[in-house]
Amino acid sequence: MFRLFRKKDKSRQPQKMIVGLGNPGSEYSGTRHNIGFVAVDSLAKAAGIGLKTFKHNARFGQGALAGVDVLLVKPMNFMNRSGLPVRDLAHKYEIAPEDILVVADDLDIPVGAIKMKPGGGAGGHNGHLSLIECLGTSDYPRLKIGIGRPEDETVEHVLSRFAQDEEPLIDSAVEKSWKTCEIWVAQGLDAALKFANTD
């Protein structure tokens, strides 16, 4: 007798990993520095992937995005140690750095704009500093969401929340970020760079 369905193959390995950077804890929820978390949460919701697993100091979920098996990850260490969970998950699932897309805030980009790069330095971002150290390379793609640079104290700015008039800009940037992630997964880096970096 033929089966009308197939049992889920638990051995399936994700081919790509998408990481959103932020700080854990309710006091940091909604802050500029946590926009990577917001972007991955939005992507997970759009793709129907629940971030229900908590292991290796990360909250993550596995599922299909644009027909490709992916891992969506939110490191639960603080930003300056966020590379540790990413390294551990990359090792566990055998995902190379070039297949890890990291979404994070960027001070040098205007609020509501996004920019994608195939690699590069940390640019003073503690999350990227940790990732570069833990992965042993800076050659991983990153998607930057602009939070604007203040005239005064940077620390207070990154830990502040967006102003009411900035919220529509951020909502638009988050939507474009998850569309960029889909393109990266389905069509590759060059197509994602073109989409993200075109106004």
Side-chain angles (χ1 to χ4, degrees):
M1 182 176 180
F2 292 102
R3 290 184 180 271
L4 297 179
F5 62 91
R6 294 182 179 180
K7 290 183 178 180
K8 184 178 180 180
D9 182 7
K10 294 183 179 180
S11 67
R12 286 178 62 192
Q13 291 286 92
Q15 299 175 46
K16 304 279 187 180
M17 184 192 301
I18 299 172
V19 179
L21 297 186
N23 284 313
S26 58
E27 65 269 37
Y28 298 106
S29 178
T31 61
R32 295 171 190 266
H33 216 22
N34 273 35
I35 195 64
F37 276 7
V38 174
V40 165
D41 283 336
S42 176
L43 175 60
K45 183 177 180 180
I49 299 174
L51 304 179
K52 298 179 180 179
T53 304
F54 187 86
K55 291 181 180 179
H56 304 289
N57 286 327
R59 189 168 299 284
F60 61 95
Q62 183 176 345
L65 179 65
V68 177
D69 214 44
V70 301
L71 206 66
L72 303 185
V73 180
K74 293 166 60 178
M76 291 289 110
N77 284 354
F78 282 99
M79 188 74 80
N80 63 349
R81 293 175 58 83
S82 54
L84 295 168
V86 176
R87 179 197 64 193
D88 291 346
L89 287 169
H91 178 75
K92 175 179 174 62
Y93 290 100
E94 300 178 353
I95 300 175
E98 60 265 27
D99 292 321
I100 301 173
L101 174 57
V102 179
V103 187
D105 60 295
D106 193 287
L107 284 162
D108 294 320
I109 300 174
V111 173
I114 73 170
K115 184 176 182 179
M116 188 170 182
K117 295 182 68 177
H125 193 287
N126 287 334
H128 285 299
L129 282 169
S130 179
L131 281 159
I132 291 168
E133 179 182 358
C134 292
L135 295 176
T137 181
S138 61
D139 293 330
Y140 59 87
R142 65 278 309 267
L143 181 56
K144 303 180 177 186
I145 300 179
I147 62 170
R149 182 174 288 278
E151 295 180 0
D152 48 11
E153 181 58 48
T154 298
V155 174
E156 289 184 6
H157 179 70
V158 299
L159 296 181
S160 69
R161 288 168 173 80
F162 293 101
Q164 187 173 358
D165 62 341
E166 293 175 321
E167 289 177 359
L169 299 173
I170 286 300
D171 289 344
S172 178
V174 167
E175 182 177 349
K176 187 173 182 180
S177 75
W178 60 252
K179 288 182 178 178
T180 302
C181 291
E182 287 185 314
I183 292 171
W184 175 70
V185 167
Q187 301 177 38
L189 180 61
D190 288 344
L193 287 167
K194 182 177 181 181
F195 177 79
N197 298 337
T198 301
D199 295 330

